Amino acid sequence: MRIIYFHSDTHPYDKAIYPGVGPAFARPLSWEARPISQIGQGDCEVAIVDNRLEPGDVERLKQHLAVPASRRPLLFFRVSDPDMPETANPCVRFIFDCADHPGVHYATTYDPEGPFLAFVTTLKVSRVVHLPYPYDSSREVEVRLAGRRRKIFLSGSNSKTLYPLRYALRRKRSRFPWLRPFLFDLKHPGYPEDGKPPRHDITHARFVSLASQFTHFFLCGTLHNVELMKHVECAYAGCVPVGVPATSLKATTGPYFRPYTARWLDLARDVFQPMPVLEERAAGYRAVMRELRSPARIIRDLTAEIRGIERR
């Protein structure tokens, strides 16, 4: 099955703070990536469209979708945020306005939750397939756990609503001085791709490299507990995961986590577990993520789901 990943002609992907969007998302899957202006060339069976759209991209997609479905490849809009259906951005709204249009479907990086789950329940013709973040083994960092600082690497947005566990942990850190030695807190870099000045440049490879200086990595999958790119980045860094495993990963990665009880003493105890125990957990987590989110497995499963749509 020939799959091509189509991305915006003009969106500033070079300023994105993580490699989960645009051509960078397609690279580990070995998919050809093309600008949306080339979507009408008709030389693929499946077109997956990135969700960072600009006005010019929307106009080109409208023209493309005006062609009868029998004369164009199946099209899947990629969804990478549970709250995307509630956006006020007209270009992103277009993605959901295309629901049930002939030949239009959706590819989600996580199990549907929140507003996206509500949207999915309204679909009558369009279908939803799974397209998780692929595991890129070339990004793995090899730093022995025994040589690292016994601390928990904490990073990301501090939204009380969207990331309640992360927010609560940061609040505890500010209120209880004895918790601070166990945490390294990296603030969110901001959104340079939206034209805002970056707070720092610790993104992409620098982000994983910094995380690899610490034994532990705090994970929480938003209010909806979905699978973020941080879940593979923790494995790239070779860290011990702490926090809460994403719902989609709980059965496979749960044994490598320690339950997060919001009690600082539990975190402190985990940081000072015997090194062989920590090494076993970090190695086990990496092995599971490497296998579960391998590009070959993602493509195999995705292809099977798409074939199921074609047979309907």
Side-chain angles (χ1 to χ4, degrees), residues 108-229:
T108 179
T109 55
Y110 51 83
D111 293 338
E113 297 287 352
F116 183 60
L117 177 58
F119 167 78
V120 168
T121 63
T122 69
L123 296 176
K124 297 179 177 62
V125 178
S126 297
R127 296 290 180 261
V128 177
V129 297
H130 293 83
L131 182 56
Y133 291 112
Y135 192 90
D136 184 355
S137 58
S138 70
R139 297 190 65 205
E140 291 180 351
V141 175
E142 300 298 339
V143 178
R144 289 183 64 248
L145 213 63
R148 304 184 186 197
R149 298 162 69 184
R150 284 185 179 259
K151 284 190 175 224
I152 298 168
F153 180 68
L154 174 67
S155 68
S157 169
N158 201 38
S159 168
K160 181 179 181 180
T161 302
L162 191 56
Y163 296 98
L165 290 181
R166 186 188 298 161
Y167 177 87
L169 183 55
R170 280 188 168 133
R171 185 171 172 80
K172 283 182 177 295
R173 179 181 181 273
S174 65
R175 294 174 61 191
F176 302 111
W178 51 84
L179 181 56
R180 295 173 193 170
F182 303 110
L183 293 171
F184 178 90
D185 190 1
L186 176 68
K187 296 298 188 291
H188 194 278
Y191 294 100
E193 62 182 311
D194 292 339
K196 300 174 183 177
R199 297 187 183 99
H200 59 74
D201 64 352
I202 303 174
T203 59
H204 296 260
R206 290 191 185 94
F207 178 81
V208 174
S209 178
L210 178 62
S212 72
Q213 296 178 25
F214 307 97
T215 53
H216 291 65
F217 194 124
F218 187 82
L219 294 171
C220 61
T222 78
L223 172 68
H224 308 294
N225 201 28
V226 295
E227 185 180 339
L228 306 177
M229 175 156 274

Side-chain angles (χ1 to χ4, degrees), residues 31 224 236 243 256 288:
W31 285 342
H224 308 294
Y236 295 157
Y256 305 106
V288 166

Side-chain angles (χ1 to χ4, degrees), residues 225-244:
N225 201 28
V226 295
E227 185 180 339
L228 306 177
M229 175 156 274
K230 280 187 172 66
H231 289 81
V232 292
E233 289 175 320
C234 173
Y236 295 157
C239 294
V240 180
V242 292
V244 179

Side-chain angles (χ1 to χ4, degrees), residues 289-302:
M289 292 302 294
R290 186 189 286 160
E291 169 58 25
L292 193 65
R293 296 298 178 236
S294 72
R297 182 168 180 166
I298 288 174
I299 292 171
R300 182 196 69 200
D301 293 347
L302 176 69

Side-chain angles (χ1 to χ4, degrees), residues 14-122:
D14 59 315
K15 296 181 179 179
I17 60 175
Y18 77 123
V21 297
F25 177 85
R27 198 168 297 124
L29 294 162
S30 298
W31 285 342
E32 181 182 352
R34 294 182 187 172
I36 287 170
S37 58
Q38 298 180 21
I39 198 168
Q41 292 184 353
D43 58 345
C44 66
E45 298 171 76
V46 174
I48 297 179
V49 179
D50 192 76
N51 53 40
R52 262 43 172 204
L53 301 180
E54 302 294 339
D57 306 315
V58 171
E59 291 307 311
R60 292 185 183 95
L61 287 167
K62 285 180 178 178
Q63 295 171 16
H64 177 70
L65 293 175
V67 175
S70 61
R71 291 166 47 194
R72 53 180 164 79
L74 286 178
L75 185 148
F76 292 82
F77 284 112
R78 183 165 163 249
V79 177
S80 61
D81 190 320
D83 296 321
M84 270 182 63
E86 295 186 339
T87 182
N89 183 322
C91 295
V92 179
R93 280 255 36 100
F94 167 76
I95 291 173
F96 299 100
D97 290 342
C98 290
D100 292 330
H101 188 85
V104 171
H105 306 282
Y106 297 89
T108 179
T109 55
Y110 51 83
D111 293 338
E113 297 287 352
F116 183 60
L117 177 58
F119 167 78
V120 168
T121 63
T122 69

